[in-house]
Amino acid sequence: MASVQVAAEKSQMEFDTSPAAERRLTRSDTFAVGLFTALYVLQVAHRAVTRPFWLDELFTFYIVTMPDWAGMLDLIQRGPDQNPPLFYALTRLVVSVLGGSEWAFRLPAMVGW
């Protein structure tokens, strides 16, 4: 009788069917998600470096490279693009730190996507 009870307890420990156990990721699941994420980031970064600017990115370039912040804000209020001012402020800060490359201009949009 005791051996049946021990065997029953063992089988319950091996097959945890609680809702929390069903949501847990296994090591292979975590590896697959990490690998997919790394490949996706590499592919997006490669495209950001090799692809020329599109029309909306040219608007961003023009707005962000205004000589001063007041000119940039004025252009945002009456300009052609409809993105919020925070996007341009972040892009301007990133470009001032990383330089004027296409990758630096696209980084805030890539992170936000």
Side-chain angles (χ1 to χ4, degrees):
M1 194 80 149
S3 64
V4 173
Q5 187 177 6
V6 170
E9 288 175 4
K10 239 185 196 181
S11 69
Q12 285 178 354
M13 290 187 333
E14 290 176 9
F15 301 105
D16 187 4
T17 59
S18 67
E22 292 176 10
R23 289 191 300 264
R24 238 178 283 153
L25 291 177
T26 63
R27 184 171 287 175
S28 62
D29 293 338
T30 304
F31 177 75
V33 169
L35 179 64
F36 175 79
T37 302
L39 291 174
Y40 177 77
V41 167
L42 288 173
Q43 186 258 351
V44 168
H46 174 70
R47 283 190 177 191
V49 172
T50 58
R51 187 182 75 169
F53 280 147
W54 288 17
L55 185 61
D56 61 331
E57 294 170 325
L58 288 172
F59 286 135
T60 301
F61 174 81
Y62 180 67
I63 292 169
V64 169
T65 56
M66 292 297 290
D68 57 359
W69 284 88
M72 184 182 84
L73 292 174
D74 182 52
L75 191 58
I76 291 169
Q77 289 176 347
R78 60 180 178 80
D81 205 2
Q82 301 299 318
N83 286 324
L86 182 60
F87 170 74
Y88 294 109
L90 290 173
T91 304
R92 187 176 180 120
L93 290 172
V94 168
V95 168
S96 69
V97 171
L98 299 178
S101 66
E102 291 176 353
W103 183 82
F105 276 99
R106 289 181 173 140
L107 184 61
M110 287 189 307
V111 170
W113 185 253

